[in-house]
Amino acid sequence: MSLAAGFKELNNLLPGQVKANEPMARHTTWRIGGPADIFVEPAGVAELARLVGWVHSRGFPLYFIGNGSNLLVRDGGIRGIVVKIGRAFGQVRVEGTTLIAGAGTKLGALAAIARKSGIGGLEFTAGIPGTVGGAVVMNAGANGTSMADLVQEVILMDATGELDRRPAQELGFGYRTSNLLGSSLVVLEVTCRGVARDPALIRADMDRYLARRRASQPLSYPSAGSVFKNPPGKTAGWLIEQAGCKGMRQGDAQVSLVHANFIVNLGKATARDVQILIHRVQQLVYERFGITLNLEVQVLGED
Ligand SMILES: Cc1cc2nc3c(=O)[nH]c(=O)nc-3n(C[C@H](O)[C@H](O)[C@H](O)COP(=O)(O)OP(=O)(O)OC[C@H]3O[C@@H](n4cnc5c(N)ncnc54)[C@H](O)[C@@H]3O)c2cc1C
């Protein structure tokens, strides 16, 4: 089946939720990325199950995204179907010191609910612009804490639309990774266990973390946060700075002058600009230190 015919069928299956040739630059915090052939924002779990079942029977490539805050989508765009787990998956329930959040909940919204409910443990998420689903898949973290310290279990949907409840011990959490990364599973709901804490203390910590980010990160330009993972015992930012890459520019992409592990989009940067900078940084850091920097950002799509 052609993608054009597929688009028609999907549009009938999920009216108002399907777009063709959707620029991914609209869905990444880098504001970079070519078009997805088909882009779907399902209105709920039932719609997602219908979509996943349909894709499974037709065999199109399928990709899930959250807030696109850790994504580099290449300029040629994405062949296949991109599904955004967004606002429709944003419900949160509070049970004692446990938070049960839909995967599309923004981390900032979840942290605010935790604070108001006197639930500590999520302070580190302040300022991470992802969804709960993306944060679990990436094991997002800061200040020595990560989602692995919080998550009790997740509800997943597999490629046939079946639901599965999986405890945290089976998610293969590591530094900025889990076994969900690159799998065909989509995260629907995440259970996080916090601890009872005075909301004023939670707020004080969050304010401190946010202030530190404002002082040390280039938040006035589009970016995807840290581009590279920290190698053991070193920070990527320090290595990049020492290798003389700070401020290096390709087109409108620039190794940030504020934080060398960020590449900022000064206006009209392309994915190609960013990729060229990534390779140059990797080369220069390797020449200087013999260390290969690995990407933290996930790369999707075609050149
Ligand atoms: C300014 C800035 C600061 C940042 N600071 C930090 C930080 O301190 N610490 C940190 O760890 N990260 C940080 N990040 C990176 C990013 O915010 C996190 O990795 C975040 O968890 C990604 O979530 P997302 O919803 O945007 O995921 P996306 O970028 O949309 O996706 C990331 C990956 O998760 C997958 N995915 C997303 N949602 C789902 C789902 N529901 N089911 C299955 N797969 C899914 C995607 O396929 C992709 O592989 C920062 C980014 C920016 C722009």
Side-chain angles (χ1 to χ4, degrees):
M1 173 184 270
S2 72
L3 269 162
F7 174 73
K8 265 192 171 169
E9 271 194 29
L10 260 186
N11 218 9
N12 289 333
L13 199 67
L14 303 170
Q17 299 158 62
V18 187
K19 291 176 181 163
N21 292 319
E22 174 71 359
M24 288 301 294
R26 290 187 188 153
H27 303 283
T28 63
T29 54
W30 237 329
R31 300 285 167 251
I32 290 173
D37 288 337
I38 297 180
F39 182 88
V40 189
E41 200 165 346
V45 176
E47 289 80 355
L48 178 66
R50 237 181 287 157
L51 165 70
V52 164
W54 181 90
V55 173
H56 189 61
S57 65
R58 302 298 191 282
F60 289 123
L62 181 63
Y63 305 93
F64 297 103
I65 67 163
N67 198 39
S69 63
N70 209 29
L71 289 185
L72 179 62
V73 179
R74 294 192 180 101
D75 301 315
I78 299 175
R79 303 291 74 78
I81 297 169
V82 174
V83 181
K84 180 176 167 108
I85 302 300
R87 263 195 296 252
F89 297 81
Q91 298 83 0
V92 178
R93 304 196 305 281
V94 179
E95 293 176 4
T97 54
T98 297
L99 295 151
I100 301 148
T105 311
K106 294 267 183 70
L107 281 178
L110 187 65
I113 292 170
R115 175 172 52 73
K116 284 181 200 143
S117 313
I119 302 174
L122 285 84
E123 291 82 348
F124 75 92
T125 64
I128 304 179
T131 61
V132 172
V136 168
V137 171
M138 293 304 305
N139 189 18
N143 309 304
T145 309
S146 71
M147 293 303 287
D149 301 309
L150 268 185
V151 174
Q152 295 298 300
E153 65 172 23
V154 297
I155 296 180
L156 305 166
M157 186 184 281
D158 72 13
T160 65
E162 289 289 312
L163 298 186
D164 183 22
R165 189 180 288 271
R166 202 172 281 189
Q169 307 85 269
E170 290 177 21
L171 297 177
F173 281 129
Y175 169 52
R176 300 296 169 266
T177 191
S178 72
N179 60 20
L180 300 170
L181 191 58
S183 77
S184 59
L185 300 166
V186 53
V187 182
L188 296 186
E189 194 177 273
V190 179
T191 301
C192 299
R193 187 174 297 159
V195 290
R197 195 172 184 225
D198 180 349
L201 296 178
I202 297 175
R203 177 184 284 277
D205 277 351
M206 287 184 176
D207 287 350
R208 196 157 42 84
Y209 293 151
L210 285 171
R212 204 187 294 163
R213 277 179 193 272
R214 278 193 291 268
S216 64
Q217 297 182 354
L219 301 181
S220 48
Y221 289 107
S223 80
S226 292
V227 173
F228 300 101
K229 292 186 182 185
N230 292 324
K234 300 262 185 319
T235 71
W238 185 85
L239 293 167
I240 296 166
E241 195 170 340
Q242 293 304 307
C245 303
K246 214 171 186 180
M248 217 161 68
R249 195 168 162 174
Q250 171 71 32
D252 262 355
Q254 184 178 43
V255 177
S256 168
L257 291 161
V258 180
H259 189 314
N261 198 16
F262 279 50
I263 292 180
V264 291
N265 178 358
L266 299 176
K268 293 191 163 55
T270 62
R272 192 176 151 69
D273 293 335
V274 172
Q275 282 174 294
I276 289 172
L277 268 190
I278 284 174
H279 287 137
R280 262 204 264 156
V281 166
Q282 282 172 323
Q283 230 167 10
L284 289 169
V285 167
Y286 188 80
E287 279 167 19
R288 173 81 196 272
F289 296 102
I291 293 174
T292 303
L293 289 179
N294 294 316
L295 284 180
E296 177 175 324
V297 295
Q298 303 300 305
V299 183
L300 287 181
E302 302 180 347
D303 282 326

